[in-house]
Amino acid sequence: MSVILQLYILVYYVCAAEVSSCSTNCELVYSLTGNSTPGTETRIRPNVTVTGIITIEAEYLPNPSSEWEYVRFMRDEDHQPLVIQIYYGDPGVLGKVRLFPEDSTGAVYNGMFSHEQVFTKHHITIQISDLDTVQKKAYQLYLGTPGEALPVTYGYKYAALWEKFSESRINDTTVIKNDNAAIALNSVSICEHAQPALCGGREAVFVAVELGGSCTLSCVGTGAPYMSTRWERETRNQTEEEAVETHHNFVVSSEIVIESFSAAHIGGWICYIENKNFGSVTRKTYNLTMITLPENTTYLHKATEDAHFTWTLGKSKTDKIRFNCTGGFPNSATTTTSSDEQEVEFNLVVEKGTTEERFECTMYHGDGVLHSQNITRVVSTEAGSQHGLLVIGISTSVAVIIALIALGIVWYLKKNGGLKVPKFAILHGACACSRSVAADARNDESENNEL
């Protein structure tokens, strides 16, 4: 009896589990249900700390009564730490954008930021961050399509001004609102960090797959909108697998399914998770190699021979690979390791024996389990079965011979005018004889089975 074991990839975190357990550090503080309503003021009272990246999605429907529209970050009814001013010029076109703050006394500083950009779409996104950027003591603003909007980094001209406005910045916001005009807010979210965080915690995973086996590579990240993923391959050849990207709230995930593993898949597979606007990148690396397993994991004992089992692993940072077998009788098995430039070989030798014995063999990479397999020796009942079949065969042969002799005697006597035996008696006698012999054979078989 043999058990052919198919090795399935052991990825430490399944993609679906990563998504459900991911801590986002982001919160959707406002979401409009239904159609946008232009001309209506919307006040949002955030229930989280307003620091990091604020993302606003809005519909801009020009209002003829005003050329300037505002999104205000308000500390209270009197003070506005930050104001985004959007200019509506020609029909269907957005032009100048200004941003200015007020200090704690209400003084406005208008010279901090002014930018001209043309928008032809009514749906606009606004992202603003008070995190430290390349230019210290600055804000960073994105307006327009994610990934296509040009970043504008702006700060105060003098350090004294930054200090002057230090008590009245965006993190003092208690209310976010639009003016009673053309901007209709659809959603507002606040995230703590610009750089996506990797869900699952492992930045590098070592994976071993059998030839022709299947496996799934996945990476999951969380962070501020708007995120995307891309894969790079450090393999021997390019293969046809394509990544599938999905988004759920503040989580992005990407999967590549390998249905038939081959030598062309061996190597590094790197997943990059990037914020489209802020450019921050997180990565996860898979290092794929090939493994060959022993086929007969359950075997019949042979009292005169040792049993040999071999695992072969493609060589890749093998200093982190450990192999260990436990179980069985004391000193009844030994393990050895050998390697060359291409692969590492692990061997298990089980000493000859006539009793049942089981070993649990595990291959580790670092602190993770790469592969686990049981080796079991069973006691054979093959000899007893063959003896029983032999007895049955002999008994059946004797029955046939006796029946033929009986029929021959009856035929001879009848031909030479001897003993007259009724036909029914002949048949009955032959059948009775056959039945008797067959019963003896069955009895012999029953006795042998009991033995």
Side-chain angles (χ1 to χ4, degrees), residues 198 202-204 234 270-273 281-285:
L198 191 65
R202 291 185 180 269
E203 296 181 357
E234 298 174 348
I270 307 170
C271 175
Y272 294 93
I273 304 173
V281 178
T282 297
R283 58 184 255 170
K284 182 173 184 177
T285 301

Side-chain angles (χ1 to χ4, degrees), residues 50 73-76 78-83 99-109 112 130 139 156 161-174:
V50 183
F73 299 86
M74 303 174 64
R75 181 178 180 178
D76 50 44
D78 296 326
H79 298 101
Q80 303 173 19
L82 214 58
V83 178
L99 191 146
F100 55 88
E102 292 180 346
D103 64 14
S104 57
T105 65
V108 177
Y109 179 65
M112 186 175 70
D130 65 346
Y139 286 101
Y156 297 88
L161 287 174
W162 178 261
E163 297 300 328
K164 177 180 179 181
F165 289 93
S166 63
E167 295 182 357
S168 187
R169 291 203 211 98
I170 201 171
N171 56 3
D172 290 323
T173 298
T174 58

Side-chain angles (χ1 to χ4, degrees), residues 33 63 111 136 166 238 289 293 295 308 370 390 408 447 450:
T33 57
N63 186 339
K136 299 295 183 181
S166 63
Q238 289 297 315
T289 191
L293 307 175
E295 292 185 353
H308 296 260
L370 187 62
L390 180 61
E447 292 175 1
E450 290 178 2

